[in-house]
Amino acid sequence: SYELTQPPSVSVSPGQTARITCSGDALPKHYAYWYQQKPAQAPVLVIYKDTERPSGIPNRLSGSSSGTTITLTISGAQAEDEADYYCQSVDSSGAWVFGGGTKLTVL
Amino acid sequence: QVQLVQSGAEMKKPGASVKVSCKASGYSFSAYTMHWVRQAPGQRLEWMGWINPGNGNTKYSQNFHDRVTITSDTSASTAYMELSSLRSEDTAIYYCARDRHNSGEDYWGQGTLVTVSS
């Protein structure tokens, strides 16, 4: 079955830049999305269609795509950015697929 | 405004079934596919399937081996997810989520905790 691969954890100092990657063979063919999830909360969409940012999402969060890898970049990380981040895309049948999630620690 | 309100927490015994509801408001229910996603404690998000309320078409994740059934009632603007033959590994928070139609408009229910324990 199709898989999206993320690093389990990323650490960043406040004010620095964090990059979270997600790799998948079908990413060049299908849009990808990024979700932020804080403890005991539902996921929140922070990037859609690889690079677009929903309204209300700070512009320090950005998305990029290159080949089979997409990247969520958090510039000038703040304490409030500490969360789990999941990439999501679809497989060839249209089923949603999630990455394993990356825990971002801001310290 | 768009809202998805799910039914309350459930506690079930192994082997039983559970049915979770998701009542939609603030938009045309039939116009958007509804997805179901679950998250076991400390685990990743896992997609379960979707339903197109407009025509009743469904698609399910093969990971659930025919244990999941998603239905909808357009007159009540409500989608349902039923999971059968429950086991302890099915203990999770279950979410409904409206399809985004490739946009940034993303809506999720508040989640329903299902606990499976003898």
Side-chain angles (χ1 to χ4, degrees):
Chain A
S1 61
Y2 181 49
E3 293 186 352
L4 297 175
T5 302
Q6 300 180 234
S9 62
V10 169
S11 297
V12 64
S13 299
Q16 299 304 301
T17 296
R19 293 180 179 84
I20 300 172
T21 58
C22 172
S23 300
D25 290 342
L27 288 176
K29 305 176 190 175
H30 303 289
Y31 285 128
Y33 302 79
W34 286 99
Y35 283 93
Q36 178 192 73
Q37 187 180 33
K38 295 183 179 180
Q41 295 184 19
V44 173
L45 184 69
V46 294
I47 296 291
Y48 68 101
K49 289 172 64 176
D50 295 348
T51 61
E52 302 295 317
R53 198 169 40 248
S55 61
I57 301 302
N59 58 13
R60 65 177 181 274
L61 275 69
S62 62
S64 60
S65 174
S66 179
T68 59
T69 299
I70 56 169
T71 301
L72 173 67
T73 299
I74 304 171
S75 305
Q78 300 182 8
E80 67 195 56
D81 298 323
E82 189 162 287
D84 293 329
Y85 290 85
Y86 293 90
C87 59
Q88 183 259 310
S89 188
V90 296
D91 68 14
S92 57
S93 72
W96 280 12
V97 179
F98 288 95
T102 298
K103 182 177 183 61
L104 177 68
T105 302
V106 181
L107 45 66
Chain B
Q1 73 281 22
V2 174
Q3 280 194 307
L4 302 176
V5 179
Q6 298 183 221
S7 48
E10 302 261 13
M11 184 163 290
K12 297 291 183 180
K13 294 193 182 302
S17 297
V18 68
K19 192 170 186 177
V20 179
S21 67
C22 170
K23 182 169 177 58
S25 61
Y27 73 97
S28 175
F29 179 67
S30 297
Y32 289 81
T33 294
M34 190 73 78
H35 297 263
W36 287 88
V37 176
R38 78 174 185 180
Q39 187 171 38
Q43 301 300 310
R44 71 167 69 189
L45 298 167
E46 181 179 23
W47 179 78
M48 302 180 71
W50 56 248
I51 186 166
N52 179 336
N55 58 20
N57 287 350
T58 55
K59 181 173 179 63
Y60 300 117
S61 167
Q62 296 179 352
N63 293 341
F64 292 92
H65 304 290
D66 300 327
R67 294 195 298 133
V68 64
T69 304
I70 300 174
T71 58
S72 66
D73 179 349
T74 54
S75 66
S77 297
T78 301
Y80 303 90
M81 185 286 301
E82 183 170 21
L83 187 62
S84 62
S85 302
L86 290 169
R87 36 207 189 227
S88 58
E89 308 91 271
D90 294 317
T91 293
I93 297 175
Y94 290 77
Y95 295 99
C96 58
R98 195 189 80 167
D99 193 82
R100 299 165 301 237
H101 285 189
N102 280 341
S103 77
E105 295 184 7
D106 189 60
Y107 298 95
W108 291 57
Q110 82 277 20
T112 296
L113 175 62
V114 175
T115 303
V116 182
S117 174
S118 55

